Amino acid sequence: MRPARVLAQAQLVNSIGDGAFYVSSALFFSRVVGLSVLEIGVGLTVGWATGLLAGVPVGRLADRLGPRPVAIVAGLVTAVAIGAFLLVRDPVTFTLACCLYAAAQTGSGAARQALLAAVVAPAERTAVRARIQALGNAGIGVGAAVGGLALLVGTPAAFVAVFVLDALGFLAAALVLRRLPRGSHAPAAAPARSEVLRDGPYALVTLLQAVMLLYMPMLSVVAPLWIATRTAAPAWTVAGLFVVNTVGVVLLQVRAGRRVSDVASASRVVRRAGILLLAACGAFAAAALGASPWVAGAILLVAAVLQVGGEVLLSAGGWQLSFDLAPAGRQGQYQGFFAMASSVARAAGPLLLTGLVIGGGEGADDGRGFLGWLVLGVVFLVAGAATGPVARWAAHRSTACTNDRSCPA
């Protein structure tokens, strides 16, 4: 079986459980376990901060031992972490379980990216990653429907079934990855130290990626609050936005991946992603001007389409840059470092963006919200435009490292 197909199957089987977990886990912790919103928020923040620290060490381990065994073990640890959530009884155990879960998830992502780089030809990596992403989103959509059934039933047993499903999904994914040949991805000469931590250009590319990835809390946190407090759109519009996002990624991600083949094309699509995300921010702001639910809903639909366009372009460009700018033999630690961008956006984004856009909450001055959306959009635009020059600098440095076997500061 082709390695790309194996990676896609692994992504699909664990994404179904993930979709159910994402939809229902917060209510499980609040209604069944009895944690407060603050306790859940603190636990998740501490957990993802831990995950932030795990990416590079796990990636470096993948460079030394090979990404296949590390990816398999990380999947097994993730399954254990999900099971540990069922044992949570207080904020302390919840936070510990979050730390284990986030570290395993971050490490698994780094190892799988390194594994993809090892078993897929360089010219095909972004296209393959796009297919995996599209298939994963489809799985999440199916899982979300399963999670919705658990919410509808509402019993503790229904929530437990979701967690069991997610854990089994990661176990199944680990078994699927065992189909990959053992010797096809053994590291040639893994470095004795984490060189990515001294690679300033790559770090700056990662920082710009983290800024661009603020679209994630924008969609999952800020947009729902904005819709509920500042627009005339009905509450179910929020669910509609997620449907548009899921379907859009499934339909468009592969096509976007075909546009990218090197650092130059990746920089172009990231720049275009910044433009589309700026337009999406403008549309979200304009939705507050719609006097009727239908007008507001139509504007929000436009915003959702613009956002998903920016998302798929950013994903394609980011994957290509993460692969091409990493020196040979160091994909694990570099992918682990690049994965930190997502963790940073998830950890810092909700607080930053709600303060910027929502401000005082319901009844606050809309002018501040409009300005907040504009500022956020300009941030996307600037980060997208800056990615190209920084990526060229990083590519020059990566070439120097390869040719001279040294990494100048």
Side-chain angles (χ1 to χ4, degrees), residues 24 31 145-162:
S24 59
R31 293 181 180 178
V146 175
L149 291 176
L151 293 177
L152 182 63
V153 175
T155 63
F159 286 107
V160 169
V162 166

Side-chain angles (χ1 to χ4, degrees), residues 109 129 134 157 178:
R129 185 65 181 85
R178 285 175 56 86

Side-chain angles (χ1 to χ4, degrees), residues 293-391:
W294 291 107
V295 172
I299 298 174
L300 288 169
L301 176 61
V302 172
V305 171
L306 291 169
Q307 183 276 324
V308 79
E311 176 181 342
V312 297
L313 290 179
L314 175 63
S315 296
W319 297 328
Q320 188 74 35
L321 293 176
S322 73
F323 290 131
D324 284 3
L325 299 179
R330 294 155 178 81
Q331 284 288 347
Q333 60 175 280
Y334 271 72
Q335 295 304 325
F337 187 84
F338 198 79
M340 292 169 60
S342 176
S343 298
V344 169
R346 290 180 186 276
L351 181 61
L352 290 176
L353 298 192
T354 52
L356 177 65
V357 175
I358 305 301
E362 190 169 5
D365 180 17
D366 280 342
R368 175 176 174 177
F370 292 146
L371 179 61
W373 279 114
L374 178 60
V375 170
L376 179 58
V378 171
V379 167
F380 285 135
L381 181 68
V382 172
T387 295
V390 176

Side-chain angles (χ1 to χ4, degrees), residues 133-202:
Q133 180 77 357
L135 193 61
N137 267 55
I140 288 175
V142 173
V146 175
L149 291 176
L151 293 177
L152 182 63
V153 175
T155 63
F159 286 107
V160 169
V162 166
F163 281 72
V164 171
L165 173 65
D166 199 17
L168 290 176
F170 278 95
L171 290 175
L175 292 176
V176 170
L177 291 178
R178 285 175 56 86
R179 298 179 185 173
L180 292 171
R182 286 179 178 273
S184 62
H185 48 269
R193 56 187 175 182
S194 297
E195 293 184 359
V196 67
L197 299 178
R198 301 184 297 115
D199 193 335
Y202 195 89

